[in-house]
Amino acid sequence: MKTVVLMGNPNVGKSGIFSRLTGTRVITSNYPGTTVDVSRGAMRLPDTPAEVIDAPGTYSLTPTNPAEEVAAGILAQADVVINVVDATNLERNLYLTLEILERGIPAAVALNLWDEAGHQGITIDVAGLERLLGVPVVPTVGLAGQGIRELVDRLGEARPSGTIKPMNEEERWAAVGRITGAVQTIAHRHHTLRDRIAEASISR
């Protein structure tokens, strides 16, 4: 059985994607030796069953608090990593993405909050981002389930990045700026009636 680990910054919608992947088959418990809650569930990959672990939100793999220490420890257990990225704040999120890819672990990126990025006038060249990162990138809306089926299907393509090599902090931030500048454009726009109806249809 493979282990799939969800990793991302805090408040990127990881729990929504975790719920979509695992349904009701979830166990939440303290990580051994800590008071940090970790959720585990089960899913079916295209070729095998898998355990899914929702790691605590973290901004970096250099821990500064117990939750981040747990996240870094869980990463070591991963056969595959799903890096959940906030599409509305690509630049901030990509630092962790690069750190994960530098580890050489098979990975895929869920470009989450895709609908909200569109509402904010943010356009991301998904194919271009995939080429630069060297791993599958799938736009998702975890709350509504959008893109989840494609994400599961493409986990079979998850692989170590062939384009991202180990970097120091300064090089990593420079790479974040280059990648963001290459794939993201922002145009000011207001929510349309259609946007507001779409939001209302997926709110709790």
Side-chain angles (χ1 to χ4, degrees), residues 21-155:
L21 293 175
T22 60
T24 59
R25 300 162 292 176
V26 175
I27 298 173
T28 300
S29 59
N30 288 346
Y31 192 76
T34 75
T35 59
V36 178
D37 284 344
V38 174
S39 296
R40 298 172 183 266
M43 67 173 290
R44 180 84 195 178
L45 292 174
D47 58 343
T48 183
E51 179 183 40
V52 185
I53 305 176
D54 185 10
T58 181
Y59 292 107
S60 171
L61 296 180
T62 303
T64 59
N65 59 56
E68 291 186 342
E69 289 178 4
V70 169
I74 289 174
L75 180 62
Q77 306 173 32
D79 295 307
V80 179
V81 176
I82 298 175
N83 174 216
V84 183
V85 168
D86 178 357
T88 71
N89 207 329
L90 186 64
E91 188 167 20
R92 184 186 69 189
N93 283 244
L94 280 180
Y95 188 89
L96 177 63
T97 303
L98 296 183
E99 283 192 304
I100 292 170
L101 297 182
E102 288 170 36
R103 300 290 180 95
I105 303 168
V109 171
L111 200 55
N112 202 37
L113 303 174
W114 184 250
D115 55 339
E116 184 57 30
H119 295 162
Q120 295 182 24
I122 298 170
T123 302
I124 297 172
D125 176 2
V126 177
L129 183 59
E130 187 166 308
R131 285 193 301 272
L132 291 171
L133 296 180
V135 297
V137 177
V138 179
T140 58
V141 182
L143 188 60
Q146 179 182 328
I148 300 300
R149 185 180 297 276
E150 181 185 356
L151 178 63
V152 173
D153 289 344
R154 296 205 65 195
L155 285 181

